[in-house]
Amino acid sequence: MAAIARWCVQRRIWVLVGWLALLAILGVTGRAAGSTYSDTLTLPGTGSTTALHLLEQAFPGHAGDQDTIVWRTSPGGVRAPAVRDRITAMLNQIAAAPAVASVISPYSARGAAQVSRSGQIAYATVVFDAPQASLSAPDVTRVVDLADAAQTPGVQVEAGGPAVENALRPSVGVSAAVGVVAAAIVLFIAFGSLLAMLLPLAVALAALVSGLMATGLLSHAVTIPSAGPTLGILIGLGVGIDYALFIVTRHRNNLKAGMSPTDAAVRALNTSGRAVLFAGTTVCIALLGMLVLRIGYISGLGIAAAVTVLFTVAAAATLLPALLGLLGLRVLSRRERRRLAADGPAPDGTSGAWTRLAAFVQRHPAPLAAAAAAVMLVLAIPVLSLRLGSSDAANDPAATTTHQAYELLADGFGPGFNGPLQLVGTTTSPADVTAFARLAGTLATEPGIAAVSASVPGHGASLISVIPTTSPEAAATSTLISHLRDSVIPAAEGGATLHVYVGGVTATNDDFATVIAPKLLIFVGVILVLGFLLLLVAFRSLLIPAVAAVMNLLAAACFGVLVAVFQYGWGLRLLNLGQAGPVESFLPVLMLAVLFGLSMDYEVFLVSRIREEWAATGDNHQAVRTGQATTSRVIIAAATIMIFVFSAFILSGQQVIGEIGIGLAAAVLLDAFLLRTLLVPALAHLSGRANWWLPGWLDRILPHLSIEPATQPPAPPSPAPALVPAGATHSQTPR
């Protein structure tokens, strides 16, 4: 790192030009190539995916997205001449709009069933000429605008469906801007210098922009969901500012200690920069670990986030030292520069409050560790009732047209109308057709089913639409899907060639949760083992990685916060994030990957500083106390920035993004303010020299990956901890 840092400082103009050229190339290429994000969720081997493939083959003309225009009259009915004329004119305009293939009106013979029994609610089906992922937002919003223009004091008109929801999804630009402003305020308070405040922001934004453009280009080769860039913004912004913050803080301390700007930057990159490189690599590995689940949607999210983090590490390692060399002493405030000139160099100054906190933890390690662990365990209690699922328009903010359309359809046609099940049968013979038609009659008598359509024949397959009596995200709907698959359908198939599969969006979401749940433990095990091995190699210790693994498990208490807010509904209305419902199925995997990476960040920054002091003194208590005192301030500042950045995404108005923002903000809050500030230092004090023990045979076979600079002097030999049996072989010197 030292050689790279010195090269970047000495050739800072070339580095800056190189980054500007990179941004220009990515921008021009991205503008020419565009992006091909895909939200298609396929789960190989599941009934819903098989049903989808059969539908595509049997009904090739139904490939486009189908959305709804729904209206309610009060008083009067939807068949009143004035209402009928106004709505018909509106539907004719929509039918002629770009990207619209057809409109099925309730005033036509084909759509006669699209009027509620009360006669006050009706809907029209708008069939687009492409799936939602391929539709342009202006084409869809034009349909919404035409529908909205048809409203009168006595007629409420709303639009709903996947394409409408996707087109009207609020931009995260405002949330990102709020997060950046909040981060700037925290940085200015921490540094007291405008230029020092701007450095982390500039580096993070350069990395974020380049990472997002690279993600767009990568979407041509890899399936990446449309939520990938949003996730990249959320994670890249927080991580990018934090990484730069750690390095700039060390650089400023080096300047105050009397180093030249060049030497200060090189030393900062050779210490904090190494930790950033290690932590960033760990985050990328954790995110890419999502690929082991073999679910394209989740893999795409992991790839998008990992690409952004990769660019943040590259920017911190190259662009930041160049900017530090360019600014020189101006990264210090004027008052700090005057003090340096008048009083000369000063040691690494830690404020009295942080020193006192570190001493307090040293004096009371056992009760503080017990209290911190107890708080984490209590917050984790709601996790026991975690229910995975997928949110729908019912969880949209109450004022949105998609939520209003959902409510109107539920009032007029029942709560299950918003999530019909599609039963697809392989009807390749007359006997299959007859058996499948009988299944429709059987379904009509099953509890939990409100309505069943007649069998619709296609090319080699037939379709039955089933309307449950409960909403799509209700637990009873999942029970119904299982009952159909396990009991009703096997009894009806009979023949050797008839096979029936339950599909539709509701069934796909239910299968998603079913597929994810058993893989969670495997994923947790993989990332815990991975983290243990990385820290084992980095810190040459068995106890430190073991403690870190336990800390990662305790940090999962943030899921308890998620369950309380989004599943129990505590404070959800105040946040304007819709209604209570299940936690998103993909969220635990995504959160665990990001949580693992962020936890490793703070663990690396704290423990590497402790180990640096241990290598110099060989005194465990002094090393822990000094390491905590010198890193707590910057860790808390970094965590505060992340909390503000993540919390700002609540303003997006999107429940899924809000879940990610609140979950990550809670994770960082608990990790930084409880685990790294109290629990980890307390356990390090209680463990004594055992923190640094490693069997000699293991020490010899492990590769050497040093986070600290190679110039650190070795610590004096230390005896083996009391817990090691006499005669055991072990390593006594830290590396």
Side-chain angles (χ1 to χ4, degrees):
M1 287 295 293
I4 296 175
R6 190 173 297 277
W7 189 92
C8 291
V9 172
Q10 293 174 346
R11 295 167 177 79
R12 45 188 173 271
I13 300 301
W14 286 108
V15 174
L16 295 177
V17 170
W19 268 94
L20 290 175
L22 174 65
L23 290 170
I25 292 171
L26 288 174
V28 172
T29 307
R31 187 176 182 84
S35 59
T36 57
Y37 298 116
S38 174
D39 291 321
T40 302
L41 176 60
T42 57
L43 303 166
T46 61
S48 58
T49 297
T50 304
L52 175 63
H53 293 160
L54 288 174
L55 279 175
E56 291 173 345
Q57 297 171 9
F59 304 96
H62 291 192
D65 189 78
Q66 295 189 24
D67 290 58
T68 55
I69 306 295
V70 56
W71 57 95
R72 175 169 58 189
T73 59
S74 179
V78 297
R79 293 189 176 92
V83 175
R84 177 172 181 152
D85 292 344
R86 187 174 184 84
I87 296 297
T88 298
M90 176 264 291
L91 295 179
N92 289 337
Q93 289 180 301
I94 291 177
V100 176
S102 63
V103 175
I104 303 174
S105 169
Y107 302 123
S108 66
R110 185 180 176 187
Q114 296 171 192
V115 178
S116 67
R117 291 181 180 179
S118 67
Q120 292 188 319
I121 298 177
Y123 71 93
T125 301
V126 179
V127 182
F128 289 97
D129 59 9
Q132 64 148 16
S134 302
L135 295 171
S136 68
D139 287 343
V140 180
T141 53
R142 175 172 174 78
V143 171
V144 176
D145 293 340
L146 290 171
D148 185 65
Q151 293 202 73
T152 64
V155 181
Q156 177 187 1
V157 184
E158 308 291 348
V164 173
E165 196 160 10
N166 187 54
L168 299 183
R169 186 173 293 147
S171 171
V172 298
V174 174
S175 299
V178 171
V180 170
V181 171
I185 294 173
V186 176
L187 287 170
F188 187 76
I189 294 173
F191 292 148
S193 166
L194 181 62
L195 289 177
M197 175 200 77
L198 293 175
L199 271 177
L201 296 179
V203 172
L205 290 176
L208 185 61
V209 171
S210 55
L212 291 177
M213 290 190 293
T215 301
L217 292 174
L218 190 61
S219 68
H220 291 278
V222 180
T223 300
I224 296 178
S226 60
T230 302
L231 181 63
I233 293 173
L234 193 150
I235 296 175
L237 197 58
V239 169
I241 294 174
D242 270 15
Y243 287 173
L245 169 63
F246 282 114
I247 295 174
V248 172
T249 299
R250 193 65 178 260
H251 174 72
R252 282 165 45 86
N253 290 337
N254 292 339
L255 289 176
K256 294 176 186 178
M259 293 186 184
S260 68
T262 297
D263 290 339
V266 172
R267 178 65 177 171
L269 266 292
N270 204 31
T271 51
S272 295
R274 285 171 176 258
V276 164
L277 180 61
F278 183 84
T281 303
T282 304
V283 174
C284 290
I285 292 174
L287 290 168
L288 294 177
M290 295 163 65
L291 272 66
V292 303
L293 300 175
R294 297 187 177 182
I295 299 176
Y297 187 90
I298 291 181
S299 298
L301 290 176
I303 291 172
V307 168
T308 309
V309 174
L310 182 64
F311 273 89
T312 64
V313 174
T318 58
L319 179 60
L320 181 55
L323 292 174
L324 292 175
L326 188 67
L327 294 178
L329 287 173
R330 286 174 294 176
V331 295
L332 299 178
S333 66
R334 291 181 179 178
R335 185 175 60 181
E336 289 171 328
R337 294 200 297 270
R338 286 196 299 266
R339 184 183 304 159
L340 180 62
D343 302 335
D348 183 6
T350 304
S351 65
W354 301 111
T355 302
R356 289 193 295 272
L357 175 62
F360 180 75
V361 173
Q362 181 181 353
R363 291 194 302 270
H364 311 284
L368 289 176
V375 171
M376 300 296 290
L377 292 174
V378 169
L379 290 175
I381 290 176
V383 177
L384 299 176
S385 58
L386 173 67
R387 184 168 74 87
L388 300 180
S390 295
S391 61
D392 51 31
N395 302 109
D396 291 347
T400 59
T401 187
T402 51
H403 178 85
Q404 294 294 325
Y406 182 99
E407 293 296 329
L408 289 179
L409 290 172
D411 290 345
F413 304 93
F417 187 82
N418 288 287
L421 305 178
Q422 296 177 327
L423 270 64
V424 185
T426 54
T427 50
T428 56
S429 68
D432 293 338
V433 174
T434 302
F436 194 67
R438 282 199 304 268
L439 175 60
T442 302
L443 293 170
T445 63
E446 287 291 328
I449 294 179
V452 179
S453 73
S455 174
V456 180
H459 300 286
S462 299
L463 170 67
I464 296 175
S465 292
V466 175
I467 307 298
T469 58
T470 50
S471 65
E473 61 181 28
T477 304
S478 297
T479 302
L480 174 63
I481 293 173
S482 298
H483 175 63
L484 294 177
R485 287 172 170 167
D486 298 339
S487 302
V488 179
I489 290 176
E493 286 178 338
T497 57
L498 175 63
H499 299 284
V500 182
Y501 305 92
V502 181
V505 174
T506 302
T508 300
N509 291 336
D510 189 71
D511 284 344
F512 193 21
T514 303
V515 169
I516 283 289
K519 294 184 177 182
L520 278 178
L521 290 179
I522 298 175
F523 184 69
V524 170
V526 168
I527 62 176
L528 288 181
V529 170
L530 176 64
F532 181 89
L533 294 177
L534 286 173
L535 293 180
L536 173 66
V537 173
F539 294 121
R540 323 300 291 183
S541 164
L542 285 176
L543 187 59
I544 285 177
V547 170
V550 175
M551 295 303 104
N552 285 335
L553 289 177
L554 286 177
C558 65
F559 285 109
V561 177
L562 279 181
V563 172
V565 174
F566 291 96
Q567 194 170 310
Y568 298 167
W570 296 357
L572 201 54
R573 290 186 180 276
L574 295 176
L575 298 173
N576 191 34
L577 289 175
Q579 302 178 7
V583 174
E584 288 293 325
S585 300
F586 70 88
L587 203 58
V589 173
L590 177 64
M591 286 284 297
L592 285 170
V594 177
L595 173 61
F596 169 78
L598 297 182
S599 297
M600 290 288 285
D601 282 356
Y602 296 140
E603 180 76 10
V604 167
F605 289 124
L606 173 61
V607 178
S608 63
R609 186 65 181 89
I610 294 174
R611 194 177 190 282
E612 185 179 343
E613 194 68 25
W614 160 255
T617 66
D619 185 332
N620 182 74
H621 289 300
Q622 180 182 335
V624 175
R625 184 178 64 252
T626 303
Q628 181 184 2
T630 54
T631 60
S632 288
R633 182 173 181 268
V634 67
I635 286 177
I636 293 300
T640 303
I641 290 173
M642 275 201 178
I643 291 168
F644 278 124
V645 169
F646 293 150
S647 298
F649 282 80
I650 299 172
L651 303 176
S652 68
Q654 303 177 44
Q655 188 173 86
V656 174
I657 301 301
E659 284 187 60
I660 298 174
I662 290 178
L664 291 180
V668 172
L669 176 66
L670 296 174
D671 193 285
F673 286 81
L674 279 181
L675 297 184
R676 311 303 157 181
T677 303
L678 295 178
L679 189 52
V680 171
L683 292 177
H685 280 298
L686 292 172
S687 302
R689 294 178 179 271
N691 287 316
W692 317 108
W693 177 76
L694 184 71
W697 64 268
L698 184 57
D699 182 45
R700 287 189 294 271
I701 65 174
L702 285 177
H704 286 262
L705 176 63
S706 177
I707 296 180
E708 301 87 11
T711 56
Q712 288 292 339
S718 58
L723 55 84
V724 181
T729 304
H730 57 273
S731 173
Q732 298 175 335
T733 303
R735 290 177 172 80

